[in-house]
Amino acid sequence: MSMAIGIDIGGTKIAGGVVTADGEVLATVTKPTPAADPNATINTILAVIAELRSNYEVTAVGLGAPGFIDNSRSKIIFSPNITWHNEPLSQKISSSTQLPVILENDANVAAWGEFKFGAAQNHHTAAVITVGTGIGGGIILEDRLIRGSYGFAGEIGHMNMVAAGRLCGCGANGCWEMYSSGNALVEYARTRAAQTPADASKMLELAGGSPAGITGLIVTKAASEGDRAAQDSFREIGKWLGRGMVNLAAILDPEVFVLAGGVSEAGDLLRVPVAESFKENLVASDYRPSPLILLAKLRNSAGLIGAADLALEAVKKKV
């Protein structure tokens, strides 16, 4: 049975798993990311791989990392969270493990996981939108993961949505993720709680009475319990997500959109307003097939499953 190790490298944790060719996760290991020290991060990745290899015979390693990955899938050009610049990560991991290694953007591996084994399975064209602290994306066109000419495709969170809009961490103004990410959800909720506390009683109760104490988890819990301001905050980011997805639909015409990432775990609190906004803004919506808008199935495992499967695919092509 072919198996590979998939590694999902995040700013706070490194998650690894042994994954079969059928997408089954046999074992997992998670360790904190020493993000301030790039070399320590590499050593942590190697420690995760070593622990997983101690009980399983694997044929390859797939790495999903945040940032810009070159099109050869060997080097991290830039990663803002781990301060990697032109880092030959694939080569370093391969030299230490003596295994074939492929490197891919973290949103791309999550998208591939959902495409092969999750919500987008049995579809040929999909856009997977990772709604977390920011917004990431992965695009599958006719069964192929789209990386672009230089490896940077799928950075959909930085589509410009508002001219001279809010300043984004990337340095531009008006990026999509400034209006429809997890950070945006919390910002909307805190502002609403400060302005109309009577509508945010549950959020404020959970936050100890202070709008500044409101977190994404609090917004979700309060919304599920009927808090009007929390529900309105989901409707606000849903409105912006739907508008951005209409732009993607005009370019990609996907069969399915998959909402992934931490915010998607709110379920229909997010999906329903997104679907309503999408239908409201889609050109000729009454006369064309509308793509499905689904919630991710693999949740936190999507990245490591997708990374492992891409590694197995790469090995298969070389045989």
Side-chain angles (χ1 to χ4, degrees), residues 119-120 123 125-129 138-139 156 176 241-242 244-260 271 274 278 282 288 290-296:
H123 295 281
T125 299
V128 180
I129 301 167
I139 299 164
I156 58 176
W176 191 22
L241 277 168
M245 286 161 55
V246 164
N247 291 340
L248 292 176
I251 299 167
L252 303 173
D253 192 25
E255 296 172 82
V256 58
F257 284 102
V258 177
L259 300 175
R271 191 193 65 80
V274 168
F278 182 83
L282 183 65
R288 61 184 288 181
S290 186
L292 298 171
I293 299 176
L294 304 175
L295 296 167

Side-chain angles (χ1 to χ4, degrees), residues 222-233:
S224 69
E225 296 181 14
D227 186 284
R228 181 183 300 176
Q231 291 175 344
D232 286 348
S233 297

Side-chain angles (χ1 to χ4, degrees), residues 5-301:
I5 290 174
I7 304 288
D8 189 1
I9 305 165
T12 59
K13 71 179 189 304
I14 294 169
V18 177
V19 183
T20 71
D22 295 326
E24 181 183 2
V25 181
L26 302 180
T28 59
V29 172
T30 301
K31 296 182 183 295
T33 305
D37 186 338
N39 289 326
T41 299
I42 292 173
N43 289 333
T44 302
I45 294 168
L46 291 170
V48 169
I49 293 170
E51 188 169 338
L52 291 168
R53 285 183 82 183
S54 65
N55 293 311
Y56 295 91
E57 189 71 31
V58 299
T59 58
V61 175
L63 306 173
F68 294 151
I69 312 298
D70 75 324
N71 208 25
S72 70
R73 293 186 291 166
S74 61
K75 183 187 298 184
I76 297 179
I77 303 298
F78 172 69
S79 181
N81 297 326
I82 308 181
T83 61
W84 275 323
H85 302 94
N86 292 313
E87 178 66 47
L89 185 63
S90 177
Q91 178 185 338
K92 288 184 176 181
I93 300 299
S94 184
S95 296
S96 295
T97 62
Q98 297 300 299
L99 287 170
V101 175
I102 66 107
L103 174 65
E104 188 61 78
N105 173 269
D106 56 351
N108 279 352
V109 295
W112 187 257
E114 288 292 340
F115 166 68
K116 284 292 294 288
F117 306 108
Q121 192 175 16
N122 300 320
H123 295 281
H124 301 288
T125 299
V128 180
I129 301 167
T130 305
V131 188
T133 302
I135 290 182
I139 299 164
I140 313 295
L141 286 180
E142 298 178 356
D143 302 322
R144 292 193 309 115
L145 178 63
I146 300 303
R147 299 182 178 90
S149 299
Y150 305 104
F152 300 163
E155 292 292 334
I156 58 176
H158 300 288
M159 291 192 301
N160 184 272
M161 294 294 289
V162 179
R166 298 171 185 164
L167 179 64
C168 180
C170 74
N173 292 89
C175 291
W176 191 22
E177 68 178 40
M178 297 307 298
Y179 300 87
S180 50
S181 62
N183 279 349
L185 175 72
V186 171
E187 185 63 29
Y188 291 135
R190 288 176 177 175
T191 299
R192 182 69 183 278
Q195 293 175 343
T196 56
D199 290 340
S201 57
K202 189 63 181 180
M203 282 198 296
L204 289 169
E205 175 190 331
L206 294 170
S210 170
I214 293 172
T215 64
L217 290 175
I218 285 175
V219 182
T220 300
K221 181 173 176 55
S224 69
E225 296 181 14
D227 186 284
R228 181 183 300 176
Q231 291 175 344
D232 286 348
S233 297
F234 273 105
R235 278 191 281 270
E236 184 67 13
I237 69 164
K239 175 186 74 177
W240 285 101
L241 277 168
R243 290 178 180 177
M245 286 161 55
V246 164
N247 291 340
L248 292 176
I251 299 167
L252 303 173
D253 192 25
E255 296 172 82
V256 58
F257 284 102
V258 177
L259 300 175
V263 180
S264 74
E265 295 186 15
D268 279 349
L269 286 170
L270 178 68
R271 191 193 65 80
V272 170
V274 168
E276 290 173 349
S277 173
F278 182 83
K279 182 172 177 57
E280 179 183 341
N281 290 282
L282 183 65
V283 175
S285 62
D286 291 334
Y287 304 99
R288 61 184 288 181
S290 186
L292 298 171
I293 299 176
L294 304 175
L295 296 167
K297 287 186 178 180
L298 302 183
R299 303 179 69 179
N300 292 335
S301 296

